[in-house]
Amino acid sequence: MSVFISGATGFVAQHIINQLLEQNFKVIGSVRSQAKADKLLRQFNSNKNLSLEVVEDISNLAAFDEVFSKHGKEIKYVLHTSSPFFTECDDYEKDLLIPALNGTKGILNSILKYAADNVERVVITSSIAAMFDFTRDLDPSYFYDENSWNPDSYQEALTDGGHAYNGSKKFAERYAWNFVQEHKNEIKFKLTTVNPCYVFGPQLFDENVTAKLNTSCELINKLLHLSAGDAVDNFFVGNFVDVRDVAKAHLLGFENQNLVDKRLLLISSRFNAQDILDIMNEDFKTLEGQLPAGVPHTGALHQWKGAIADNSKTKELLGFEFIPLKKTIDDMVTQILRKEKRL
Ligand code: NDP
C-alpha cells in the first residue's frame, strides 16, 4: 500500500518524502509538470519506491480524479500539502483562495469517488494562519491554541495578500473538517491537520538553494544578505518551527491513532530579526562585520510581550522536542554559504 502526497516539489513536501522513503514507504507524489517530475526523481536518485504523477492545477476541482482513478486502490494514506504560499499576487481569489479551497475539495472528493474503501488516514497541511487572529499578534491579552480559528470572513480575506493567504488556509481546513462529518458513513479515513507557523530549515537538496527561496525561507535568506549598515526590521516577527519537525509530524499524523481528529499546532519558539541576526553573527566567523548587529540579545526569543500561543497539547501528543532556532538557523546558513562558496 502507498502514501500519496500532493505538491511533491514543495519545500516541506520534499522533507516529508525523504522521511517516508527512509522508512521504506511506497510514495506516489503529484507535481505540476513532467519536467518537475523528472527533476525530482533525479534528485531522489530514481528511488524505486517513489513515483510521480502530473496534476497540473489544483484550482480544477477534478484535478485529482485521474490519479485516484488510476492509483486509488493502492493508496492507504493521503498527505495533502499543495497550496499556494505567497502573499503578493494580482487576484487574491483566483491566485490564493480558489486553489487552496478547490485543492482540498478536489482531493477529498477524489478519495470519496475512487478510494473510499481503502484510504485510512488523511493528513492536511494547514497552518497557524487558519488558527489565529494575526491582527492581534501584539495583544498580550490574546490567547490561542489548537481549538482556535482565524475569525476572518471570506470578504475580509479579500482585503490584502496576508489576509488572503490566511483565509485560504482557514477555508480549506474548515472544508475538510466539515467534509469528514458530512461523509462519515461513506468514507473510511480519519483526518488530522498539521498547522505549522513559519517553517524554516535547510532545503532537502543543496541544488534547491537559489538566489530567491520559498516564501518562509526567503525571510532568512534576506537577512543573510543584509549589509552591516542596514536597519534591523523587528516587525519581522513570528513563531517558527523546523521543516524536519514538520515532516515528522506529518508521518506521525497518519501513523498514530492518538492523532486522529487532531489539529497539531507546530511552534518551536518565537523569533524576530534580531534573534536571527544574533545567531548568524555569533556562529559564523565568515560573516564577521558583514551583517547589522542591532541590539544583541533583545529579540523576541528573549522577551515577548504579545499574544500567547499554547501548543502544549500538540507537544504532548507528538512526544518529541522541537528543534531550537539556533540549530535551524545554523543549518540553513551553513547550506546557503556552502552553495555560495562563502564558507
Ligand atoms: P512551497 O511553495 O515550497 O510548496 C507549495 C507546493 O504546492 C508546491 O509543490 C507547488 O507546486 C504546489 N502548488 C501551489 N499552487 C498550486 C496549484 N495551483 N496547483 C498545483 N500545485 C500547486 O511551500 P511550502 O512547502 O512552504 O508549503 C507547503 C504547505 O505548507 C502549504 O500548504 C503551505 O500553506 C503550508 N504551510 C507552510 C508554511 C511555511 O512557512 N513554509 C507555514 C504553514 C503552512 P510548484 O512547486 O510547482 O510551484
Side-chain angles (χ1 to χ4, degrees):
M1 290 304 271
S2 301
V3 181
F4 177 79
I5 179 162
S6 68
T9 47
F11 165 60
V12 171
Q14 291 189 15
H15 282 271
I16 299 174
I17 295 171
N18 187 45
Q19 293 187 13
L20 288 168
L21 295 175
E22 277 174 3
Q23 294 190 24
N24 287 320
F25 282 103
K26 271 177 93 77
V27 181
I28 303 169
S30 68
V31 297
R32 286 207 250 193
S33 68
Q34 192 54 46
K36 290 185 180 191
D38 295 344
K39 180 180 172 195
L40 197 62
L41 285 172
R42 173 179 59 72
Q43 290 181 313
F44 277 104
N45 290 321
S46 306
N47 188 305
K48 64 176 181 4
N49 282 337
L50 176 64
S51 64
L52 298 172
E53 295 286 341
V54 174
V55 170
E56 275 176 13
D57 185 0
I58 55 172
S59 297
N60 170 5
L61 281 171
F64 290 101
D65 275 358
E66 201 178 319
V67 75
F68 275 86
S69 71
K70 184 172 162 192
H71 293 290
K73 297 293 168 224
E74 322 155 34
I75 298 170
K76 190 168 175 185
Y77 308 117
V78 172
L79 311 181
H80 177 47
T81 80
S82 64
S83 202
F85 182 23
F86 45 76
T87 51
E88 280 167 29
C89 58
D90 299 328
D91 183 331
Y92 302 136
E93 193 163 37
K94 178 170 160 291
D95 299 333
L96 281 164
L97 285 142
I98 290 176
L101 185 54
N102 286 6
T104 300
K105 277 187 187 172
I107 199 164
L108 295 181
N109 281 289
S110 295
I111 297 171
L112 180 62
K113 258 194 257 175
Y114 300 106
D117 295 337
N118 49 283
V119 170
E120 293 182 5
R121 300 287 288 269
V122 172
V123 179
I124 292 183
T125 320
S126 185
S127 170
I128 193 172
M131 281 186 158
F132 96 118
D133 181 353
F134 74 115
T135 61
R136 298 186 63 193
D137 193 37
L138 300 178
D139 173 356
S141 69
Y142 180 54
F143 167 93
Y144 59 98
D145 64 10
E146 291 87 349
N147 296 317
S148 307
W149 280 94
N150 166 351
D152 280 358
S153 66
Y154 196 86
Q155 263 327 99
E156 283 163 333
L158 297 173
T159 325
D160 58 38
H163 280 84
Y165 172 71
N166 295 346
S168 78
K169 300 307 291 181
K170 168 190 172 165
F171 295 112
E173 190 194 324
R174 266 269 198 245
Y175 178 88
W177 289 115
N178 290 341
F179 181 96
V180 290
Q181 267 309 309
E182 203 177 308
H183 296 281
K184 62 174 181 269
N185 297 326
E186 303 151 82
I187 53 172
K188 191 172 175 185
F189 75 80
K190 303 289 182 208
L191 179 66
T192 301
T193 64
V194 174
N195 297 57
C197 51
Y198 277 119
V199 184
F200 299 149
Q203 303 292 318
L204 185 64
F205 302 107
D206 280 7
E207 181 187 0
N208 294 351
V209 178
T210 45
K212 188 167 183 215
L213 299 179
N214 59 292
T215 300
S216 53
C217 293
E218 183 55 17
L219 298 173
I220 307 299
N221 197 32
K222 271 201 177 122
L223 289 174
L224 182 59
H225 293 94
L226 288 176
S227 300
D230 290 337
V232 179
D233 178 3
N234 274 325
F235 285 107
F236 166 64
V237 61
N239 296 289
F240 107 94
V241 63
D242 190 284
V243 66
R244 294 159 288 196
D245 287 340
V246 179
K248 216 192 248 188
H250 280 80
L251 269 73
L252 292 174
F254 71 79
E255 288 173 318
N256 282 14
Q257 200 50 38
N258 64 351
L259 298 182
V260 163
D261 286 339
K262 297 290 190 293
R263 304 173 81 209
L264 303 173
L265 174 53
L266 304 190
I267 296 177
S268 174
S269 74
R270 284 210 73 93
F271 72 91
N272 68 2
Q274 182 67 58
D275 297 310
I276 311 275
L277 286 166
D278 286 350
I279 296 169
M280 291 176 178
N281 280 320
E282 282 163 22
D283 293 358
F284 293 89
K285 271 261 158 281
T286 173
L287 295 173
E288 206 171 307
Q290 294 185 29
L291 294 174
V295 185
H297 305 292
T298 58
L301 193 55
H302 302 275
Q303 44 182 21
W304 173 246
K305 300 196 182 83
I308 308 292
D310 179 1
N311 68 333
S312 50
K313 279 194 222 89
T314 298
K315 286 182 181 159
E316 197 185 319
L317 285 166
L318 289 176
F320 67 85
E321 287 284 316
F322 289 126
I323 295 170
L325 188 65
K326 180 174 156 63
K327 174 165 172 54
T328 302
I329 299 303
D330 282 351
D331 290 353
M332 268 187 96
V333 171
T334 300
Q335 185 186 46
I336 296 170
L337 294 180
R338 181 169 65 232
K339 185 74 192 284
E340 292 177 355
K341 302 198 181 352
R342 292 165 69 201
L343 257 193

